Amino acid sequence: MIIVYESKTGFTKKYADMLAQKTKLKAYRVKELPKDIKDEEIIFLGWIKAGKIQGLGKVKKHNIKAVCASGTARNAEPDEETVIARNKIKGIPFFYLRGGCLPLKELQGMDKILLSMFLKMLKSRKDKDAKIEEAISNIENGFDGVREENLEPVLQWVSKNK
Ligand SMILES: Cc1cc2nc3c(=O)[nH]c(=O)nc-3n(C[C@H](O)[C@H](O)[C@H](O)COP(=O)(O)O)c2cc1C
């Protein structure tokens, strides 16, 4: 079994590195995946962008045994069922990992535009609760939610399935 991951700003990579260190499995970025590992069992980690787990499509013909997805919120956004359905991974063990985000001003290109639109939408809401205020602050100021304990369910799964 190997770890394969996709990470843009480094939060998912932190989990992949942590998992590799704790399980002694090798971790590869999607684009560094060796060609000769076609049948190898894979635990995949990717970041979520508008509900889509990034990088997963590029390895879907491989032997994926479990999928982890990182986002900024406490729970997968929009919600876990939608992420599972949108990524066609029903039946595969799924783990949400709280990642993080850079301050909006440090993002670039399309990601910055998309997140700015999302921020504007959150700010315009009349029903802002503590969760929405937290999301606004995280996007504006950045946030790092990576914690070792968040990996616990994944480690348990690996120890039973390695
Ligand atoms: C343009 C954009 C769209 C995002 N969409 C989602 C989303 O739909 N659901 C979610 O939970 N997180 C979403 N996020 C948050 C990222 O998934 C989160 O910041 C992730 O931990 C980043 O991982 P990375 O540092 O490995 O790239 C989005 C972030 C950006 C920049």
Side-chain angles (χ1 to χ4, degrees):
M1 185 177 283
I2 56 170
I3 299 161
V4 181
Y5 70 94
E6 179 91 13
S7 177
K8 183 141 188 198
T9 51
F11 296 96
T12 315
K13 181 181 188 310
K14 282 196 210 176
Y15 280 119
D17 289 345
M18 227 185 257
L19 190 60
Q21 194 226 333
K22 286 184 179 288
T23 58
K24 307 282 176 245
L25 297 174
K26 276 198 151 182
Y28 299 93
R29 225 175 239 281
V30 170
K31 63 172 193 278
E32 294 167 355
L33 199 56
K35 292 251 177 320
D36 58 347
I37 55 95
K38 262 260 176 274
D39 301 321
E40 186 91 50
E41 294 186 336
I42 287 177
I43 172 159
F44 184 85
L45 290 81
W47 65 286
I48 311 173
K49 178 172 172 177
K52 280 289 260 184
I53 302 170
Q54 301 301 292
L56 187 58
K58 293 183 196 142
V59 294
K60 65 171 183 275
K61 293 209 172 97
H62 288 72
N63 189 6
I64 297 175
K65 290 291 176 198
V67 174
C68 308
S70 97
T72 315
R74 283 169 203 273
N75 304 102
E77 299 268 1
D79 57 72
E80 207 159 297
E81 293 74 55
T82 308
V83 172
I84 289 169
R86 205 170 280 177
N87 293 278
K88 300 188 174 65
I89 50 171
K90 201 160 182 247
I92 299 177
F94 175 81
F95 304 92
Y96 176 74
L97 297 169
R98 191 174 202 190
C101 56
L102 296 178
L104 184 62
K105 62 177 186 310
E106 289 179 30
L107 293 181
Q108 287 169 348
M110 208 48 206
D111 286 354
K112 188 173 192 170
I113 295 168
L114 281 172
L115 215 55
S116 304
M117 283 162 53
F118 185 57
L119 179 66
K120 207 166 155 192
M121 186 274 287
L122 289 176
K123 283 185 161 178
S124 71
R125 279 178 67 160
K126 301 258 171 338
D127 58 339
K128 284 200 242 10
D129 56 12
K131 238 176 100 180
I132 295 175
E133 294 290 0
E134 184 190 58
I136 291 172
S137 161
N138 287 347
I139 293 170
E140 285 182 331
N141 306 315
F143 167 76
D144 184 353
V146 176
R147 301 283 180 274
E148 228 175 81
E149 69 243 33
N150 295 342
L151 262 186
E152 212 36 62
V154 186
L155 288 169
Q156 278 181 23
W157 181 88
V158 173
S159 71
K160 282 192 205 123
N161 293 276
K162 195 157 74 164

